[in-house]
Amino acid sequence: MPKFTAYDGTELAYHLKGAGEPLICLPGGPTRAAAYYGTLGGLDAHHRLVLLDLRGTGGSAEPADPATCRWDRQTDDIEALREHLRLDRVHLLAHSASGNLATLYAARHPARVRSLTLISPGTRAGSEEPGTEADGVFDPAATRAALALLDAPVLLLTAPHDNGARPARAAELAALFPYEGKAAAHHPWLDDPGAFVRTVRAFLAPDILALDADGVRLAYRTWGEETAPPVVLAHGRGGSGADWTAIAERLAATRRVYAPDFGGHGLSDWPGAYGFERLRNELSAFIRGLGLDSVDVIGHSMGGVAAILLAAEEPELVDRLVVEDPPPPFPPDPPRPLTRREEGVLAFDWPVVPSIDAELNAPDPAWGERLAAIEAPTLVIGGGPASHIPQEQLARLAGRIPGALLVTIDAGHLIHETRPEEFLAALAEFGI
């Protein structure tokens, strides 16, 4: 168990778990050691957890002066730990009562905080309400002024009873922080570890953004200049926006590229209920949530079907449409066989698969009927005989969309991965 010496000479202990960028974790209460965090639901697979035992808990020594256990004095312990770890700025996570400690540290050392994650925080720092634990710590106005200098994102995970029983606390925190809020259990890493890890990973990743789309938090990646013409890339089933990285990096030379993770995939929420219309709604809400009037949309497989439905239902949102080897919205003959679940941990929510399989075997007849309503210039790219998608059905699909072009690249189903140069050439010839 590694240890370091605080400024007043008290020996403090911390625990290291996992690998990756360090995340300093403060336990929830002045008498609680950090061991209850465990691995934070598996977050240690993605970050180096630095679990600090506060003064007088776990492996840390009792201080000679009990007054140094006050939250304002323990901010010095975090600063000493930061120096000990030789970190210029820190990612800081705090649970329950230690939210107060984290808030006070952020107010005192705003330039040292890279991000702040508060889980069901008990903080009242900056409150003007008399009799709170902030009395005598910082002047409330000074605390708020200091936090205004915090140039770091804040993730606030509040349990339902936090907002229900103490709604003033959530409002108080909202006034203190420009935070990104999300409902969670009081111990979310225990009650729903997958959702907790996905949320925190997306929040801490410098290249991941998030927005609410049709009630689902969608994580997404961007490339290119913000002022460049936008293009949205929709991934296939079981994938994520990261699957488009090689293509996105090339398109970013002239375009602003957005690649979301659909619900049930990657680092987005996994709502548990899935289907093509939900995917279409997410794609629509994503584009509108970005504040874009209309975009070019490129969709692979499942994402291609979502893009087709979007272009048919909301033609004003889609300038140009490219669909890469999508399963056509016509009943297959024979029906698609049921997909068997792979062994091990999946990077997507398994119920996506049976839901999509069922809709592909019995698609809504209106989907095929609405193809004629697509106004956007459309390019259909088929993967040729090596693809499991019937290519004659793709020809039928292209024939039902007014003016659609059909191009075949003999690459199988994963065209943009297997033959990226030919895929990009097809996009360029189409005007993307």
Side-chain angles (χ1 to χ4, degrees):
M1 179 190 309
K3 296 185 178 182
F4 68 102
T5 303
Y7 296 147
D8 67 352
T10 304
E11 189 175 60
L12 302 178
Y14 61 97
H15 311 264
L16 296 174
K17 293 187 178 181
E21 195 167 24
L23 174 64
I24 294 178
C25 306
L26 308 179
T31 62
R32 195 172 193 182
Y36 78 100
Y37 273 136
T39 65
L40 277 174
L43 189 61
D44 65 324
H46 310 281
H47 281 272
R48 178 82 154 170
L49 305 183
V50 183
L51 309 175
L52 175 64
D53 285 341
L54 302 178
R55 292 170 171 247
T57 68
S60 292
E62 290 280 354
D65 180 4
T68 61
C69 289
R70 285 169 43 129
W71 291 129
D72 60 326
R73 301 288 289 275
Q74 291 197 72
T75 60
D76 288 340
D77 294 345
I78 302 174
E79 182 63 2
L81 176 58
R82 181 195 66 76
E83 293 180 349
H84 169 75
L85 296 172
R86 297 181 179 178
L87 299 174
D88 182 57
R89 302 176 70 196
V90 297
H91 293 294
L92 195 60
L93 179 147
H95 173 234
S96 192
S98 67
N100 193 41
L101 175 56
T103 304
L104 295 174
Y105 177 80
R108 179 174 281 181
H109 302 283
R112 296 302 187 184
V113 178
R114 292 189 62 185
S115 73
L116 190 59
T117 300
L118 302 176
I119 307 170
S120 295
T123 179
R124 301 194 70 86
S127 173
E128 296 186 23
E129 180 182 337
T132 68
E133 59 215 353
D135 287 345
V137 177
F138 285 120
D139 173 79
T143 302
R144 284 194 293 272
L147 287 172
L149 302 176
L150 182 62
D151 184 23
V154 179
L155 175 64
L156 177 61
L157 301 177
T158 57
H161 70 264
D162 291 333
N163 290 335
R166 296 173 287 180
R169 179 152 301 181
E172 180 182 56
L173 286 164
L176 284 172
F177 297 114
Y179 69 88
E180 174 183 337
K182 181 174 175 60
H186 189 66
H187 295 88
W189 64 92
L190 297 176
D191 297 309
D192 193 346
F196 173 78
V197 170
R198 287 191 298 274
T199 300
V200 177
R201 279 186 64 199
F203 172 69
L204 294 179
D207 60 336
I208 302 293
L209 302 171
L211 59 74
D212 182 273
D214 197 34
V216 176
R217 180 190 58 83
L218 296 186
Y220 67 98
R221 297 160 179 82
T222 65
W223 295 263
E225 296 294 330
E226 291 187 24
T227 57
V231 57
V232 172
L233 310 180
H235 65 80
R237 188 172 72 178
S240 74
D243 296 343
W244 288 107
T245 298
I247 297 298
E249 289 175 345
R250 296 282 294 276
L251 292 176
T254 58
R255 307 299 296 267
R256 176 65 167 179
V257 185
Y258 300 90
D261 295 352
F262 277 118
H265 294 77
L267 298 180
S268 292
D269 285 347
W270 293 13
Y274 305 102
F276 282 117
E277 291 193 356
R278 182 172 193 126
L279 295 170
R280 178 203 65 198
N281 293 342
E282 288 179 6
L283 195 54
S284 170
F286 178 75
I287 294 170
R288 295 184 186 278
L290 293 172
L292 302 174
D293 295 327
S294 60
V295 298
D296 293 342
V297 180
I298 303 173
H300 173 237
S301 193
M302 177 191 78
V305 178
I308 287 170
L309 296 180
L310 177 66
E313 295 294 329
E314 300 180 77
E316 70 279 6
L317 286 184
V318 182
D319 285 335
R320 287 180 174 270
L321 174 65
V322 178
V323 288
E324 174 193 356
D325 217 44
F330 313 124
D333 185 20
R336 292 167 61 99
L338 296 179
T339 305
R340 299 187 62 179
R341 190 190 188 285
E342 298 177 4
E343 297 294 330
V345 178
L346 302 177
F348 63 96
D349 196 6
W350 173 251
V352 169
V353 174
S355 297
I356 294 300
D357 278 349
E359 288 193 332
L360 289 175
N361 279 329
D364 186 335
W367 296 351
E369 296 168 1
R370 290 288 293 161
L371 294 174
I374 295 178
E375 300 175 2
T378 300
L379 173 64
V380 179
I381 304 178
S387 171
H388 68 277
I389 301 295
Q391 298 298 291
E392 66 277 8
Q393 289 284 59
L394 287 185
R396 180 184 173 193
L397 170 68
R400 298 280 291 274
I401 300 174
L405 301 175
L406 174 62
V407 172
T408 298
I409 299 175
D410 192 7
H413 188 54
L414 299 175
I415 305 167
H416 71 272
E417 293 184 12
T418 307
R419 300 279 182 85
E421 295 298 333
E422 293 176 52
F423 182 80
L424 286 164
L427 296 183
E429 187 172 348
F430 184 60
I432 293 180

